[in-house]
């Protein structure tokens, strides 16, 4: 499977996420937060700098927990300024 290049909107979303994570880290060291999240300090450094604009979902979940930031808040940061897309999800039919 070939991964498609990120769009400009996705790169910008990754940069916003990095800024939000760096702000949430506040007085804690990068190494401390990275180890608490189970990732390398270099990975966290790249995410915060926007050089890794699309981190894995599991990485974001672990950072959310390590920083005590609700995952929904990080999702809101990612989605800010993203184009609105038609939802493909439809509710399941009721079970009779």
């Amino acid at each position: 499977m070939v991964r498609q290049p990120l769009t400009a909107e996705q790169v910008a979303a990754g940069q916003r996420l990095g800024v939000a994570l760096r702000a949430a880290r506040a007085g804690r060291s990068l190494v401390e937060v990275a180890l608490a999240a189970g990732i390398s300090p270099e990975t966290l450094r790249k995410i915060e700098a926007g050089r890794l604009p699309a981190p894995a979902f599991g990485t974001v979940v672990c950072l959310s927990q390590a920083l005590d930031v609700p995952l929904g808040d990080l999702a809101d940061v990612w989605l800010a300024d993203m184009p609105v897309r038609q939802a493909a999800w439809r509710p399941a039919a009721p079970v009779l």
Side-chain angles (χ1 to χ4, degrees), residues 30-51:
L30 185 135
V31 172
E32 174 189 351
V33 171
L35 294 177
I39 62 174
S40 73
E42 185 59 22
T43 297
L44 181 53
R45 187 175 290 111
K46 287 178 182 178
I47 294 168
E48 287 186 355
R51 291 185 294 137

Side-chain angles (χ1 to χ4, degrees), residues 28-86:
R28 295 175 65 186
S29 80
L30 185 135
V31 172
E32 174 189 351
V33 171
L35 294 177
I39 62 174
S40 73
E42 185 59 22
T43 297
L44 181 53
R45 187 175 290 111
K46 287 178 182 178
I47 294 168
E48 287 186 355
R51 291 185 294 137
L52 184 58
F57 178 71
T59 299
V60 177
V61 169
C62 290
L63 285 167
S64 169
Q65 290 179 336
L67 293 166
D68 197 28
V69 174
L71 189 56
D73 289 359
L74 296 179
D76 289 343
V77 167
W78 176 269
L79 292 172
D81 298 330
M82 291 290 267
V84 176
R85 295 192 175 115
Q86 177 97 19

Side-chain angles (χ1 to χ4, degrees), residues 6-27:
L6 297 174
T7 66
E9 291 87 5
Q10 290 169 320
V11 171
Q15 291 169 340
R16 286 191 305 273
L17 179 64
V19 168
L21 291 171
R22 189 170 40 253
R25 186 165 56 81

